[in-house]
Amino acid sequence: MEELWKDIIAFDISKLFIEPTKNTFIQLFRYLFVGGTAFAVDAGCLFLLELTGIYYLLAAVFAFMAGLAVNFLLSKALVFKGSESGNSNEVEFLLYAVIGVIGLGLTEMIMYLFTEKLSLYFMVSKVIAAVVVLIWNFAARKITLYRK
């Protein structure tokens, strides 16, 4: 954590975003940006698909797929660069997707609960779900794929 704060205070862009690192705090910092970008893609697709008349829970599945692809590519390039999973790209993506599908299940449950049962706007439910799932995704991927 000390290394992260030192790099933030020094505004060392190279250490914060470019250089490979195994420091979990720096990886989490990067994952917040990657997750934010993937969330923007996911939420944007969800909003647009729902506008076209697709049921919001079904639209969330399609939006998830777009966000998953963005998250995978950016995570490999920025977050876990230098951390090898020990798997082929195909197997790595499959494992990445399995973790993501569990996150999708959490998203669907949280969105249903907050939208249908608590009457929140579906996009507010999406934001709540995104926070929970961001933590799940990072921890699960760090532990199962990039722990070496």
Side-chain angles (χ1 to χ4, degrees):
M1 184 72 136
E2 184 178 318
E3 183 181 346
L4 172 62
W5 286 116
K6 184 181 86 177
D7 293 339
I8 290 172
I9 290 168
F11 200 64
D12 191 338
I13 299 299
S14 181
K15 287 185 180 176
L16 288 173
F17 292 102
I18 299 168
E19 293 176 13
T21 184
K22 296 195 191 247
N23 183 300
T24 300
F25 294 110
I26 292 174
Q27 287 177 335
L28 179 59
F29 179 79
R30 291 176 181 180
Y31 197 77
L32 291 173
F33 286 93
V34 167
T37 302
F39 173 77
V41 170
D42 185 340
C45 288
L46 171 62
F47 184 77
L48 292 173
L49 289 169
E50 197 274 340
L51 274 179
T52 67
I54 298 174
Y55 182 58
Y56 76 95
L57 290 176
L58 179 59
V61 173
F62 293 117
F64 158 80
M65 288 188 249
L68 176 69
V70 168
N71 195 301
F72 177 73
L73 295 171
L74 289 177
S75 287
K76 278 195 66 84
L78 298 173
V79 179
F80 300 114
K81 180 175 29 175
S83 297
E84 295 301 320
S85 71
N87 300 304
S88 68
N89 283 337
E90 295 80 9
V91 170
E92 184 178 351
F93 182 76
L94 180 64
L95 295 171
Y96 204 90
V98 166
I99 291 166
V101 167
I102 294 169
L104 173 62
L106 291 169
T107 297
E108 293 283 317
M109 288 188 313
I110 292 167
M111 286 184 69
Y112 175 80
L113 173 70
F114 282 90
T115 302
E116 298 295 327
K117 301 299 180 188
L118 299 177
S119 300
L120 288 178
Y121 180 56
F122 76 97
M123 290 302 291
V124 173
S125 300
K126 175 65 177 175
V127 170
I128 294 166
V131 172
V132 173
V133 172
L134 178 122
I135 295 164
W136 155 257
N137 283 342
F138 177 78
R141 288 171 178 151
K142 172 81 174 162
I143 291 167
T144 62
L145 286 171
Y146 305 108
R147 66 179 150 196
K148 295 178 184 173

